[in-house]
Amino acid sequence: MFPQSTLLDPLFWMVLGAIQVLVFTGASQWAKEYQLGMNWWRWSVVGFWWLSFILTIAGAFTLLGENEGNAGWYVLGFVGTLLVIGGAAILKVLVLLKPNPQ
Amino acid sequence: MRKKLLFIFYIVSAVFVCVHLGLRVNHLTQLEASNTPLFVATYSEHSTSSKVPVNDAINYKEWAEKFEEQTK
Amino acid sequence: MKDDAQIGDEATTNSSRRNFLKLGGLAAATATVGAGAGAGFVLGRDPDANIGWGRTEAGKDMYFNREAFEVDFPPTMEVVGNIERPEWGDYLFNRAFSLVKSIKGGWEPSEDWTQIPDLRVREYYEKYPKRWEEMLLSFSEKVKHDNNIEKHRDRFALAWAYSGAYSKGLHADFPPEPTEHPDVDDFKWVQREPKEFKSPEHASKLIKQMAFKFGMSLVGITKLDSNFVFKNMMRGMPEWGDEIPKHWKNVIVFGVPMNWDPMYAAVGYSTSYDAYYRAKMASGLMAAYLGELGYAARPQFPGNSYEVIMPPLAMLAGLGESTRNGILMTPEVGPNIRLAAVITNLDLEHDKPIDLNMKHFCESCKICADACPSGSISKADKPDDVVRGIRKYAFNQDGCWRFWNQGPTPSGLGCRVCIAVCPYTRKNNWIHALVKQAEPRDPTGVTRNALLAMQHNFFYYPDAESFHPEWSGGNFASYHQPPEWMRSEEYLKVEKTWEYDGNWEGF
Amino acid sequence: MYSKKRSDFWKKVASIVSVILLLLAWYGGSTRITDNQSGMVDQLLINGDLLNQIDDRLYEGRILNKLNPVEYIGLGSGIGYGGMTEVAVTVSSLGDIQRIAVLSSKDTSSYLDKVIQSNLMEKLLGKNIKSNFEIDGVSGATVSTNALTEAIKRAADPVRFELFGINRAENEKPISHFRWLDLLAIAMFTMAILVNKTRHRKKSMFNWALLLTSMCVFGFYSSSLFSSSTMGILISGAWLTGLGNYTSIILLSLVILYIIATNKNVYCNTLCPFGATQECLAKLGNTKTISLTPVFFEWFPRGLLLVTLCLGLYYRNPASFSYEPFGIMFGMIGSIYLFVLTTITIVTSLVVKRPWCRTLCPMNPMTDFIRFNRQWFKSVLNKQRLKRQIILTNQMVGSEVKRSEVSK
């Protein structure tokens, strides 16, 4: 976020990395509440989706930063929507594959 | 909560539709006012300006001087 | 046994912990999305992404690892006949200056190219008769340009100042133009015995580092291929046959990109002189460096001081490949590269050419051909011309030159639109670096087709006519709008009476 | 009872007013249409200075001191998606095409841009019109490409006849535009009727099958589903002079006839490709059906459809006023605003069931309009029949009384 500054830039990336831990612990808390029975491959699917979602947003705004107005919005709209649909599909699968409580 | 969501969706999509229609109207009015064809493709041997202008109007010596001085 | 109170507050701490995690997780997620958008935007705007001018002395600009793509022969240099060396008349500036001399001698140009006094120029137009009409047009267009250019000074004042500064720098006398026979002139900076290198590999490794220290972004070394040395053309020698000096063994080719923002705002706001100046200086410094070590050095530098054709040598040195608009395209900076070189007798280890699949990209892309204001770039699906035994895309030199004389630059020289609109001309931020690494490694061509589909549908390209200046049917359009430091209305007391036509910034 | 009566009254007023508005727009349009084509033709001269008209589709360009004309300009028109596309071709005296200009087009502008970007016309420049030239089309915008190529051929005919005396035109019969897709549309429609009628156990499964096939065929494959612009074309009568793509018009007229006949709208739940997309997305997220009750939300789409149809009539260009996300969804055709609209609709349809159908889709206003008028018309009919019966009974009673008096 602060590419020109030698101090703030590393700090920013460290903080961003740190809050990912909070994101995933929060997510596991939500998952526990809905008893989704999360195992390793479910977490990796969710993690992969989350990474591509953030990358898409970052990519679209990078294009905007480069003064490619049209390209930025179209990428955000096009890839963004596909990812949102993908996310909904993953959620549906997770809910369907819920282990039924004994 | 979903009702609110649908409400917001309604307003936002209505705005975009109206903006789209508004732009279409002024595009068509401009088109009509300008009374020029929608699109023209002109043949040119291999350069976009098709006519080769008559050259006698040029004072070549002056052109040569200016060219040499600019590229020296 | 815990009593109820303990269980009670344990439950409350548990539930509050759970709530904190749940809400904290949500907040962190939204913060990440915001941070991603912000970081992405800022990286797009980050000047550090502007590769060029030896940003880091370790030559980090040359970030593309070429080992995986080395081949023995450049794929875009397909030999179809016996290769002929280029003639004196094949070089556009030679023709232009010869015509100037004839006109000053009282010759009146006419539609009939057989009347051209200089035989060497006549031979060229015998091969390409249609192009003489373009050269004729360049005379009249230049006059129309000179009559109209001053009216737009308010708009382009800062751009012309920037270009003028580097143009004056370029005309400085370093490295000096050769004045004597190459056997003498190439050794003018040699004072002592040549110092022996441990091995050619050591020499090449050192020379490349020095090129980066002299400010170059890309450097490659190859054997001097005589096929690309001009015949009858040797600076400092009025008469020259087609022999090649014996000490011309190896050639060190290096280059630097033009400043990105003006280049993207071609034609009016762009200039080649900034990169020309830096490349010329580097060739002088390298020649002096080799001279100090006792080796011959013949600098080849921009403007108009060459004995060789640069792009093929750069391709042999593995810097990049040939493209549809006929200039070198590199993975780091695309066609936004200005080359210079030093020919030397020093034994050096040669680099190998590379194959980055650029051939297939150019075949299906055609964006430069559609955008070319003078329609000089071929729109064929495959290379459709054979020039001196090598298959390449047909390119109308004289049509391009004609638009140089129309273009809204003060000296009326240079266009650069094909460089600005090329999808490979991208700065070094993470999204383009990712794409440039992925595309050559994908044999199926799926990434290429996806990229091209996005390129054609999502990006805005002004049409070819609108790049023209107002006096020849355009509106000074440009691929990107000019950078802030070139907008005269931001700094000078001028009244803004023009509109920018180019990619909008998205907000 | 009281509000029902009052709202009926307002509805009657509204439907009459909208019909009047449409007629006014149509009338307004016809007065405004000056044949501005001739104004444009003189801009198309290249070498000639003097333009004089030989007949309504052929002009010639002359230079003062030259005996025979220097160049000819031919006008031609082709049948596009929304109606006529007019083209002018400037041909040199040797028969080489010097310039092609699209004078006017009734296709959606994005379709036209796609054809222009494919520089289909640049390939034609310089060709000689003596031999009938073949033009390879452009993927994605087939209807508009055929319109353009047809128009260029038609424009070249008079000039070819003038120069070489060859008349090559075999004029296009509208029927030849009939394609297998139109037959499929009729077949699918009848199946939709059947599926709606049966009480079969597996009815919803059949319904889903129909929805998915329609989404693939009429949506992604051919993007030939109808929209407000098709309604505009239908009422403007532009299809009388022939249309490039009949499928959407056929589908629309079948739907309207069925509503008139049985007061049931079969299209939305069984055939609409965009509806199908929203249904699939609804399956992904657990959605609930919600509808907005306030009056505004019911009347806004009606106003919107009315305005669009009026604009279509007034500018004689219904195809350029479609505001649905169908173009973007199934063909990436449309402005960036429609692109944003489509993205929002898709994302919302994960949470709310069929958001577009619940809000702005022009199908609802159209169906309500037809149903209301059908109802009104029927009630008027019944009233008359009742009156007639009353008169009959009175007469009978009257004659009874007379007969009884006579007999007394």
Side-chain angles (χ1 to χ4, degrees), chain C residues 67 70-72 199-205 207-208 219-225 248-253 313-319 342-353:
Chain C
E67 259 86 30
E70 283 174 350
V71 287
D72 293 336
S199 74
E201 286 74 24
H202 285 83
S204 288
K205 189 162 175 291
I207 290 292
K208 285 191 183 171
V219 60
I221 296 171
T222 182
K223 189 173 95 50
L224 177 66
D225 185 335
W248 284 16
K249 290 210 201 71
N250 293 320
V251 62
I252 309 159
V253 189
L313 292 176
M315 286 156 67
L316 291 170
L319 287 183
V342 173
I343 305 172
T344 176
N345 56 3
L346 170 64
D347 287 338
L348 292 158
E349 182 210 15
H350 300 143
D351 293 315
K352 289 166 73 70

Side-chain angles (χ1 to χ4, degrees), chain D residues 24 85 107 119 153 198 221 276 295 308 332-334 372 385 397:
Chain D
L24 268 177
T85 305
D107 287 354
N119 39 48
K153 279 187 188 161
T198 61
Y221 174 69
V295 175
T308 322
M332 269 306 271
I333 306 268
F372 175 77
R385 209 176 299 117
V397 160

Side-chain angles (χ1 to χ4, degrees), chain B residues 2-3 5 7 9-10 12-13 16 19-20 23-25 28-29 32 35 37-43 51, chain D residues 32 40 43 98-102 109 116 121 286 288 290-291 297 301 315 320 335 337 340-341 351 359:
Chain B
R2 289 177 201 260
K3 211 173 197 16
L5 206 69
F7 177 81
F9 166 75
Y10 196 111
V12 169
S13 52
F16 273 107
V19 165
H20 171 73
L23 282 173
R24 293 300 310 152
V25 168
L28 274 174
T29 33
E32 234 145 65
N35 192 359
L38 284 175
F39 176 77
V40 177
T42 312
Y43 179 68
K51 276 198 198 140
Chain D
R32 200 180 41 72
M40 290 193 208
Q43 300 166 19
Q98 300 293 336
R99 173 175 285 173
I100 302 177
V102 178
S109 61
I116 292 172
M121 291 191 276
N286 44 26
K288 279 203 269 328
I290 305 168
S291 56
F297 296 107
Y315 284 99
S320 76
S335 70
Y337 302 98
V340 175
L341 175 71
V351 181
T359 52

Side-chain angles (χ1 to χ4, degrees), chain C residues 95-167:
Chain C
R95 296 202 301 276
F97 282 106
S98 148
L99 288 170
V100 166
K101 222 187 267 100
S102 325
I103 290 171
K104 283 174 81 176
W107 169 63
E108 184 75 20
S110 70
E111 310 236 340
D112 173 8
W113 54 267
T114 50
Q115 307 302 324
I116 300 174
D118 186 332
L119 167 69
R120 297 173 295 187
V121 179
R122 218 171 33 243
E123 269 160 9
Y124 174 82
Y125 286 114
E126 197 179 348
K127 276 187 275 177
Y128 302 102
K130 285 216 186 82
R131 296 187 182 177
W132 171 243
E133 185 194 324
E134 294 283 354
M135 181 54 89
L136 261 182
L137 256 175
S138 75
F139 299 145
S140 51
E141 293 295 340
K142 177 91 170 103
V143 172
K144 204 193 305 178
H145 163 274
D146 294 349
N147 303 341
N148 289 283
I149 190 79
E150 288 313 322
K151 285 200 248 71
H152 300 281
R153 181 146 186 272
D154 275 5
R155 173 173 183 164
F156 294 106
L158 296 181
W160 292 351
Y162 177 77
S163 165
Y166 280 107
S167 150

Side-chain angles (χ1 to χ4, degrees), chain D residues 201-271:
Chain D
R201 238 183 333 88
K202 286 239 185 47
K203 175 173 179 178
S204 69
M205 209 265 289
F206 287 144
N207 198 9
W208 262 102
L210 259 182
L211 266 177
L212 291 179
T213 27
S214 146
M215 181 170 79
C216 300
V217 169
F218 296 129
F220 290 110
Y221 174 69
S222 66
S223 176
S224 59
L225 67 164
F226 65 81
S227 66
S228 59
S229 55
T230 333
M231 294 174 199
I233 295 166
L234 190 66
I235 53 174
S236 70
W239 50 276
L240 293 168
T241 53
L243 258 184
N245 160 1
Y246 279 92
T247 329
S248 44
I249 279 273
I250 291 170
L251 261 178
L252 177 63
S253 18
L254 285 175
V255 166
I256 293 176
L257 292 176
Y258 195 69
I259 295 176
I260 293 174
T262 62
N263 205 13
K264 273 213 241 35
N265 168 4
V266 158
Y267 181 75
C268 280
N269 298 332
T270 336
L271 273 180

Side-chain angles (χ1 to χ4, degrees), chain D residues 47-51 61-71:
Chain D
N47 305 333
D49 308 329
L50 260 170
L51 174 86
R62 282 181 182 280
I63 300 184
L64 273 177
N65 42 33
K66 269 270 185 69
L67 202 275
N68 40 39
V70 172
E71 58 196 17

